[in-house]
Amino acid sequence: MDKDLLTIGAFAARARLSAKALRLYDRLGLLAPAHVDEVSGYRYYRASQVERARLVAMLRRLDMPLARIAEVVEAAGTESADRLAAYWADVEARVAGQRTLVEYLRGRLSGRSCEMYGKFVVETVEVPAQVVITETRHTLADELPAWIGASLGRLTEAARRCGGVTAAPFVVYHSEVSMESDGPAESCVPVADEAAARAWVAEQGRGREFGVRTEPARRLACTRISKAQVAHPQILAAFEAVEAWLKREGLEYDGPCREVYFADWDAAGAEDPVCDVAFPVR
């Protein structure tokens, strides 16, 4: 056996880690011993592995998933630093969202719901029947924003072949979308030519997520929100404000809730109105 090899105890002391941690890193595929004795099963390491052992330990203190740790420690040159920066940007974005959610929940738990709901003006509008091309997807909450943008983009492009877009696109929630429930959600774009719409859907092939249907005339109770308010959990307060208004007015639900996107999302600023949160009522 190579005389330069260190026992797991000696290597653990040099790396300032426990032998238990080193066995875990080996089992997880993050730091394999340089040699394992076939008879005794003893693990041996090289001094050159100390830096990697310490790096793995520090990355685990960041709660980095094992797959991401492997990507960082295996990356060459400055790419490892770039991968770490990308991971931490994701962490900060998640924490920012959680911080907003905490403030929202504090408002609810402290009885300030009425104060929050008072920021939203609710009114009813009459929407005529319309032919819509649709894309339906089971999706969790964290995947929803990206899917909405992509699906409405696909449908808007397809609408050019169906006589053009005739009204604001909207997204219907046929069941709850959260981190535990995946809907489904349905993106809808109203179009002028039903025959052309059916021909387009037929071209997409059976089993695809696209469809065409006639959305009946509806009365909607809705509140208008800004681009910033579309983010979770601010949008939850808008939905709840409309529901509270319906209860006060004695109105009944007449279909699944929806978001109506009437503005150019990319061109809008954070405070510009872009969306109506709406419930069909009778």
Side-chain angles (χ1 to χ4, degrees):
M1 186 176 65
D2 193 332
K3 295 182 180 180
D4 293 333
L5 291 175
L6 302 172
T7 64
I8 190 171
F11 182 79
R14 187 172 298 190
R16 297 192 293 275
L17 296 169
S18 68
K20 180 180 179 180
L22 292 174
R23 294 188 187 97
L24 175 63
Y25 297 170
D26 181 19
R27 188 166 68 250
L28 297 177
L30 298 175
L31 181 67
H35 174 74
V36 178
D37 189 282
E38 295 180 359
V39 177
S40 65
Y42 290 167
R43 294 171 169 86
Y44 296 88
Y45 295 81
R46 296 188 185 281
S48 59
Q49 293 179 279
V50 167
E51 181 60 28
R52 178 170 177 137
R54 292 176 178 172
L55 176 59
V56 170
M58 288 186 286
L59 293 174
R60 282 179 58 79
R61 291 183 64 184
L62 297 177
D63 294 325
M64 182 179 285
L66 299 178
R68 298 290 287 270
I69 291 178
E71 290 177 359
V72 172
V73 298
E74 294 293 347
T78 59
E79 184 181 353
S80 57
D82 293 339
R83 289 180 182 271
L84 173 60
Y87 167 74
W88 195 247
D90 291 342
V91 170
E92 291 184 322
R94 184 178 71 251
V95 171
Q98 291 173 331
R99 185 180 300 112
T100 303
L101 178 58
V102 167
E103 290 302 313
Y104 166 75
L105 291 173
R106 286 181 62 191
R108 291 189 59 176
L109 295 173
S110 62
R112 291 191 285 112
S113 294
C114 291
E115 176 185 329
M116 293 190 297
Y117 299 160
K119 300 176 182 179
F120 299 97
V121 176
V122 182
E123 59 182 5
T124 59
V125 297
E126 302 293 333
V127 179
Q130 49 195 348
V131 174
V132 295
I133 52 175
T134 69
E135 181 177 335
T136 304
R137 174 86 52 94
H138 286 274
T139 176
L140 296 174
D142 58 344
E143 305 164 339
L144 183 64
W147 176 76
I148 288 177
S151 62
L152 291 181
R154 286 189 288 268
L155 294 175
T156 299
E157 178 65 24
R160 298 179 181 179
R161 298 177 51 188
C162 307
V165 178
T166 59
F170 55 97
V171 177
V172 179
Y173 296 100
H174 294 284
S175 187
E176 181 185 4
V177 174
S178 65
M179 294 306 295
E180 291 77 33
S181 178
D182 64 353
E186 180 188 33
S187 289
C188 304
V189 171
V191 296
D193 190 334
E194 181 176 359
R198 295 193 178 281
W200 175 79
V201 170
E203 288 180 10
Q204 308 312 305
R206 299 180 63 179
R208 298 292 295 275
E209 301 163 328
F210 300 105
V212 58
R213 62 181 177 83
T214 298
E215 172 77 3
R218 294 188 183 277
R219 183 186 183 198
L220 299 180
C222 55
T223 188
R224 185 149 292 186
I225 60 176
S226 68
K227 186 174 181 177
Q229 290 172 317
V230 171
H232 188 280
Q234 293 93 319
I235 197 167
L236 295 181
F239 275 103
E240 292 177 0
V242 178
E243 290 180 301
W245 184 86
L246 294 179
K247 186 176 182 179
R248 291 196 303 271
E249 296 294 318
L251 296 174
E252 297 182 2
Y253 300 102
D254 191 28
C257 60
R258 58 201 58 205
E259 297 164 8
V260 183
Y261 290 93
F262 55 82
D264 184 336
W265 181 270
D266 293 331
E271 302 306 316
D272 292 333
V274 297
C275 174
D276 287 336
V277 167
F279 286 81
V281 295
R282 61 173 178 267

